[in-house]
Amino acid sequence: QVQLVESGGGSVQAGDSLRLSCAASGRTFSDYNMGWFRQAPGKEREFVVVISRSGGNTYAADSVKGRFTISRDNAKNTVYLQMNSLKPEDTAVYFCAASRGVYASNRDYAYDYWGQGTRVTVSS
C-alpha cells in the first residue's frame, strides 16, 4: 500500500502561482511513476502531468504545458506540482497518483494509488 497526501491548494487570482505537494508513505517511492490529475466541477477527471520514477522524464497535458512543472524528491518521498500563470479554467480538485506501470502514463486506469485531493480555485 502507498498512502498519498496532497497539500498546497488554495484560492488565488488569475496569473498567480501555487505549488502543490504530495507526500507518499508505505512503499518505496522511487518504484512509482507519479502523476497529477484534476477534476473540475461537473467534469470528468483529467490528466495533468506525470513524472517517471527517476524524475528523468515528464509529460504534460497540452492545456498546462509551459505553465505547470512536475518534479520529485525521492529522498523526501514527495512529488511537486508548480503551477504558474494560473487561469480560472485551472480551478479543480487536484489529485496525485502512483503507478507501478512500466511507462509513465497519462491514463488514470494505470494508477494504483490515489490521494484525497487538494482544491485549487482561480478567480478572474
Side-chain angles (χ1 to χ4, degrees):
Q1 286 280 356
V2 174
Q3 292 77 43
L4 301 172
V5 179
E6 302 96 335
S7 61
S11 296
V12 297
Q13 298 287 319
D16 286 350
S17 299
L18 274 177
R19 188 175 82 154
L20 306 183
S21 299
C22 173
S25 61
R27 290 288 181 95
T28 304
F29 182 65
S30 57
D31 285 348
Y32 295 85
N33 299 309
M34 298 297 298
W36 285 95
F37 291 75
R38 67 186 181 186
Q39 187 166 19
K43 295 187 177 181
E44 294 187 354
R45 185 168 58 192
E46 65 174 358
F47 167 76
V48 178
V49 63
V50 61
I51 189 166
S52 62
R53 290 172 177 81
S54 67
N57 291 296
T58 63
Y59 174 73
D62 287 344
S63 59
V64 305
K65 279 181 181 175
R67 299 189 299 121
F68 290 13
T69 302
I70 189 171
S71 61
R72 66 189 295 163
D73 186 336
N74 285 346
K76 294 183 177 180
N77 292 349
T78 303
V79 62
Y80 304 98
L81 180 62
Q82 178 66 44
M83 304 186 295
N84 298 329
S85 302
L86 282 160
K87 304 175 180 180
E89 51 263 45
D90 295 319
T91 294
V93 177
Y94 284 72
F95 301 90
C96 72
S99 170
R100 293 171 294 186
V102 173
Y103 301 106
S105 176
N106 62 348
R107 304 302 177 99
D108 59 2
Y109 57 73
Y111 289 78
D112 305 287
Y113 303 102
W114 293 82
Q116 294 298 305
T118 185
R119 186 174 301 274
V120 173
T121 303
V122 185
S123 56
S124 57

